[in-house]
Amino acid sequence: MRDLSPPPPPPPSSASCFYGYNAKSVVFCILFPLVLVSLGLFALDSRSYASWFSSYASSLTRNATGSWGALSVSSRSSRGGSGRSYEGPVEFEKEVHTSGHGSYFSPVPVGAPSPAPEPAAPVFQGSTPNNTRRARIKDTKLERLEFGLARARAAIREAARNPNRTALVDKDYVPIGPVYRNAYAFHKSYLEMEKLFKVFVYEEGEPPIFHDGPCRSIYSTEGFFINNMDMESRLRTRDPDRAHVFFLPFSVVRMVQYIYPRDHHDMRPLRKTVLDYINLISGKYPFWNRSLGADHFMLSCHDWGPYASGGHHHLFVNSIRVLCNANTSEWFNASRDVSLPEMNVRSDVIKVGGPSASGRPILAFFAGGNHGPVRPVLLKHWKGKDNDVQVHEYLPKGVSYVDLMKKSKFCLCPSGYEVASPRIMEAIYYECVPVTINANYVLPLSDVLNWKAFSVQVSVEDIPKLKNILMSISPRQYIRMQRRVKTVQRHFMMNGPPQRFDLYHMLLHSIWLRRLNIRIHLQD
């Protein structure tokens, strides 16, 4: 039978470090080895620790006059590109610093990013030294990208706070005037974008769900951007190692048309499609994993765009989402996401222009369906009650909607089912001062444009006072506002092919600003 009794204790002469706790054995058997091991680990890791501390400390640097900051995003490099997803979203807080020339977003990390789990040991094909060298080259490319962004960030910061401003040379257009939060900083940022910014479009996926979108509907800005991005040559790169951001080219509108089962009212296929696509590109490329999606962006004008983005956790909380449904009460983050304007395009030719103030006898105009939380209040107080404030649910037969906009000084733009309204772009096209009536809506291009200079914002609670609010604007002030509407018109034009400073490039500029606000570095 096996003897289960404990073994006898070792004799006093045994070399065991745990027998006989006198001072000599403690020093030589416990403390001394621990000191040696600690010194060895410190020597091996001192360089990487110093590098991490330096990069993280620099991310906390703040400029009291309104700087452009950087959110530090780090992950351990899976040099083999295994496609593993690293858990733990990046935690950050957006803080707005204001100066006399406007406000700019500067993210301030609330703590070091959560450490990523240790990836599986990479399996190198061929000889290890060559593959290791190849991985280091990739790291160097990322460092070069981040260095270029740091220089651009510094140049824009200097432009924002430089009191002795001189106009930048530009053959096409020089932004100037109160329609901009900071015209000089915007112009400098735009030129830096043209010089440096590169977008990689994932080629995976087939139309109509991918690389396609509607061009004749209320969701036309979605198709407009996706199609122009596929034809882009100047700011697009075919080399992902040169890219600053990565575009996920799926269309939520097309998903609703082709994979949403209307009879079953099941929206889960939308999220499943998004999840499957991100799993595909994260398994094929290393770029999603290294940033947890922070340098990737999607675009959707459909109301369900925010819902579809919830198909992948990191897409929802880390990535740049360009959305028409820019509702802060539905998790739209203005410092990370981009507000996409709506436009109901019905033909190939978009006409713009309208009469001056003297040719606009109607004070305010609106026509539209009675839906959502805002329009019922507007219709209740003003529908058919005042010739100066013409509010209609449905226009009489033969009455032109466009003609009434052109005859109106102010065009009312209330939210419907969702916060966005195509009437904002329509008002700008027809040079009618827009009056936005909504709650929790982030206006398009508001990181650059000063909407108060060329539009009126009215709260839902002040709808009964609408006429008094508009009548209090003097004729001289109105003329200035209408001229400014004509100034910003170029930034909302849907040109084909795109032109500098138009809507397509302004959306890219908004994405560029968000990319400036993150910094990605790999930890080996």
Side-chain angles (χ1 to χ4, degrees):
M1 177 180 292
R2 183 180 177 185
D3 183 9
L4 299 180
S5 60
S13 60
S14 170
S16 171
C17 288
F18 303 99
Y19 184 85
Y21 287 90
N22 55 40
K24 184 176 181 180
S25 63
V26 169
V27 171
F28 286 93
C29 293
I30 298 178
L31 299 181
F32 187 69
L34 286 177
V35 170
L36 290 177
V37 171
S38 299
L39 289 174
L41 290 175
F42 180 82
L44 289 173
D45 199 49
S46 60
R47 185 171 61 178
S48 62
Y49 177 81
S51 175
W52 175 87
F53 182 83
S54 174
S55 62
Y56 181 63
S58 65
S59 72
L60 296 176
T61 302
R62 297 164 59 180
N63 180 354
T65 61
S67 66
W68 299 71
L71 165 67
S72 178
V73 179
S74 65
S75 66
R76 294 185 183 274
S77 172
S78 61
R79 297 185 174 215
S82 63
R84 296 176 178 269
S85 296
Y86 301 130
E87 298 300 320
V90 178
E91 297 183 4
F92 62 93
E93 175 185 349
K94 298 291 184 181
E95 188 168 307
V96 180
H97 303 290
T98 59
S99 69
H101 308 287
S103 62
Y104 294 88
F105 290 109
S106 176
V108 180
V110 296
S114 302
E118 188 72 31
V123 178
F124 295 106
Q125 302 294 328
S127 60
T128 300
N130 289 340
N131 283 279
T132 303
R133 180 174 178 272
R134 191 177 299 117
R136 288 175 180 169
I137 291 174
K138 289 183 179 180
D139 292 356
T140 302
K141 289 181 178 179
L142 176 61
E143 291 171 0
R144 187 180 300 119
L145 289 176
E146 292 298 328
F147 179 73
L149 291 172
R151 292 185 63 180
R153 194 181 298 120
I156 298 166
R157 182 186 297 120
E158 179 62 26
R161 67 186 181 188
N162 183 8
N164 300 316
R165 301 176 182 181
T166 56
L168 296 168
V169 177
D170 199 310
K171 61 183 178 62
D172 293 327
Y173 177 68
V174 176
I176 191 171
V179 298
Y180 301 103
R181 288 179 175 271
N182 186 320
Y184 189 72
F186 162 56
H187 197 191
K188 182 64 175 177
S189 175
Y190 191 93
L191 295 177
E192 290 289 330
M193 177 191 76
E194 289 186 315
K195 179 173 64 177
L196 187 67
F197 197 39
K198 294 297 179 185
V199 181
F200 180 79
V201 181
Y202 287 108
E203 296 183 357
E204 287 71 18
E206 298 293 334
I209 304 299
F210 302 91
H211 301 280
D212 190 18
C215 294
R216 293 290 183 276
S217 75
I218 197 171
Y219 308 118
S220 60
T221 49
E222 180 175 309
F224 163 76
F225 185 91
I226 292 174
N227 294 325
N228 279 309
M229 194 75 255
D230 267 347
M231 294 185 292
E232 173 66 50
S233 59
R234 182 175 182 181
L235 298 178
R236 180 178 174 180
T237 178
R238 303 285 178 174
D239 180 1
D241 284 317
R242 296 183 60 211
H244 300 92
V245 295
F246 300 80
F247 180 41
L248 306 169
F250 55 78
S251 167
V252 176
V253 174
R254 294 296 193 229
M255 290 183 195
V256 174
Q257 290 175 341
Y258 290 98
I259 66 176
Y260 169 62
R262 295 182 181 276
D263 295 337
H264 300 289
H265 303 287
D266 184 5
M267 296 169 61
R268 287 177 296 178
L270 278 66
R271 287 188 169 186
K272 182 65 164 57
T273 301
V274 171
L275 177 62
D276 289 345
Y277 190 73
I278 292 178
N279 286 341
L280 171 67
I281 58 104
S282 64
K284 188 174 180 179
Y285 304 92
F287 306 104
W288 176 274
N289 293 332
R290 77 180 182 185
S291 69
L292 303 177
D295 56 353
H296 287 59
F297 75 96
M298 61 161 284
L299 179 139
S300 173
C301 199
H302 198 279
D303 300 346
W304 297 347
Y307 174 85
S309 71
H312 193 285
H313 175 66
H314 291 150
L315 175 65
F316 190 83
V317 301
N318 290 343
S319 299
I320 302 165
R321 300 177 304 161
V322 185
L323 303 171
C324 281
N325 192 3
N327 191 339
T328 57
S329 69
E330 297 180 7
W331 303 101
F332 183 90
N333 185 337
S335 59
R336 172 175 54 86
D337 300 324
V338 175
S339 179
L340 174 65
E342 281 187 0
M343 182 63 188
N344 194 357
V345 177
R346 299 179 178 88
S347 66
D348 291 333
V349 179
I350 301 177
K351 296 181 179 180
V352 299
S356 63
S358 60
R360 296 176 178 267
I362 302 172
L363 177 66
F365 164 72
F366 167 78
N370 186 6
H371 55 77
V374 178
R375 294 184 186 181
V377 182
L378 178 66
L379 291 166
K380 175 185 175 181
H381 284 89
W382 295 103
K383 179 183 175 182
K385 295 183 177 180
D386 195 307
N387 288 330
D388 291 330
V389 181
Q390 295 194 14
V391 174
H392 307 266
E393 186 172 357
Y394 299 103
L395 285 176
K397 189 175 181 180
V399 176
S400 170
Y401 175 82
V402 173
D403 286 347
L404 283 175
M405 292 194 85
K406 290 184 176 181
K407 290 179 181 178
S408 302
K409 291 181 173 66
F410 298 94
C411 290
L412 308 182
C413 309
S415 295
Y417 285 122
E418 300 296 346
V419 290
S421 170
R423 287 162 184 79
I424 293 178
M425 282 186 64
E426 290 170 348
I428 292 173
Y429 280 6
Y430 303 133
E431 298 169 8
C432 175
V433 174
V435 179
T436 60
I437 311 174
N438 39 50
N440 306 312
Y441 179 42
V442 178
L443 290 165
L445 311 181
S446 54
D447 42 15
V448 167
L449 298 180
N450 175 22
W451 279 84
K452 291 184 178 180
F454 59 91
S455 71
V456 180
Q457 287 86 53
V458 175
S459 67
V460 180
E461 294 75 18
D462 285 337
I463 286 177
K465 307 174 186 175
L466 182 61
K467 185 174 181 178
N468 291 336
I469 292 172
L470 299 181
M471 290 289 290
S472 67
I473 298 174
S474 68
R476 183 176 181 180
Q477 184 180 359
Y478 174 79
I479 290 172
R480 285 199 299 264
M481 294 180 75
Q482 192 198 27
R483 287 175 179 170
R484 293 166 185 170
V485 168
K486 295 173 69 173
T487 299
V488 302
Q489 201 176 71
R490 71 168 58 241
H491 299 314
F492 291 89
M493 293 303 300
M494 299 170 65
N495 297 314
Q499 300 175 14
R500 297 181 70 222
F501 295 101
D502 67 1
L503 180 61
Y504 171 74
H505 287 100
M506 291 298 290
L507 290 172
L508 283 173
H509 180 261
S510 291
I511 296 166
W512 155 255
L513 291 183
R514 273 94 184 141
R515 180 60 179 90
L516 284 173
N517 272 346
I518 64 173
R519 178 167 56 245
I520 302 168
H521 59 91
L522 301 179
Q523 294 179 352
D524 294 330

